[in-house]
Amino acid sequence: MVRPAHQADVSGIQDVAERTWHETYDETLGTDVVDEVIEEWYPEEAIEEGISHEAQDFVVAVDDDTVVGYAHAGPHPPRRVHELYRLYVHPDYWGQGIGKALLADTEQALYDRDVSSYEAEVFASNEEAVAFYEATGFEQVEEKATEFKGVDVTERIYRKRL
């Protein structure tokens, strides 16, 4: 079931973030970098702010009462577009359609906000994410080499019209 995130979901969101980031990025970024990202991007107050922010949409997928995935979208002023900030599914639940369900719910929320298109950024090395975005109607609009926390990476920006 996909529903709007609540403050009570914060620890579940943190758990999904930690498990997914380590599963996905330990080999390419290193465990220390992943730990730094988790600490910097996922403190309780940051997640609570995203959940309660009026201009953002934050949804969770739950199995019984356990958070197994989440998506978070909102304005991205530097590019003057809306962006899918995050979409992650716990590794134990990969391949079950949860990502697509989270994406559908997020797209409905964006559509209801009168957003006509939005973007998602992904590391090119994350083959599963690249395949997911391309299979769900996103088109690559940019690719750039950059540095992320001291690691050289290639980022892709995808855009999708609603």
Side-chain angles (χ1 to χ4, degrees):
M1 178 179 87
V2 176
R3 61 165 172 74
H6 305 295
Q7 302 299 331
D9 297 321
V10 170
S11 65
I13 292 165
Q14 289 171 317
D15 180 58
V16 171
E18 185 171 359
R19 290 288 306 275
T20 305
W21 267 84
H22 280 292
E23 181 72 24
T24 306
Y25 298 116
D26 275 0
E27 287 185 28
T28 56
L29 298 176
T31 304
D32 291 342
V33 170
V34 171
D35 286 340
E36 182 182 339
V37 168
I38 297 300
E39 186 176 320
E40 184 179 317
W41 291 3
Y42 291 94
E44 188 173 313
E45 56 275 1
I47 297 170
E48 289 173 348
E49 182 179 325
I51 289 170
S52 63
H53 199 289
E54 287 186 17
Q56 298 177 12
D57 297 290
F58 208 131
V59 296
V60 292
V62 294
D63 182 14
D64 290 322
D65 289 330
T66 303
V67 174
V68 298
Y70 62 93
H72 181 199
H76 186 55
R79 291 183 60 89
R80 297 181 183 208
V81 297
H82 274 68
E83 180 179 26
L84 180 63
Y85 303 138
R86 306 168 175 143
L87 189 153
Y88 292 105
V89 174
H90 191 287
D92 292 347
Y93 290 83
W94 287 354
Q96 298 181 26
I98 294 169
K100 288 180 182 176
L102 287 163
L103 189 63
D105 214 73
T106 301
E107 289 179 351
Q108 183 62 55
L110 291 170
Y111 181 82
D112 291 347
R113 289 183 183 275
D114 215 15
V115 173
S116 60
S117 67
Y118 70 110
E119 294 180 346
E121 293 183 21
V122 64
F123 293 133
S125 62
N126 186 346
E127 295 173 3
E128 292 84 3
V130 167
F132 173 81
Y133 288 120
E134 291 177 355
T136 55
F138 284 83
E139 294 182 11
Q140 183 180 328
V141 295
E142 189 176 330
E143 182 171 292
K144 61 185 176 185
T146 188
E147 185 179 300
F148 180 82
K149 306 252 182 234
V151 179
D152 292 330
V153 297
T154 301
E155 283 185 334
R156 291 185 181 167
I157 298 175
Y158 286 89
R159 184 175 298 142
K160 185 175 183 180
R161 293 200 160 282
L162 297 176

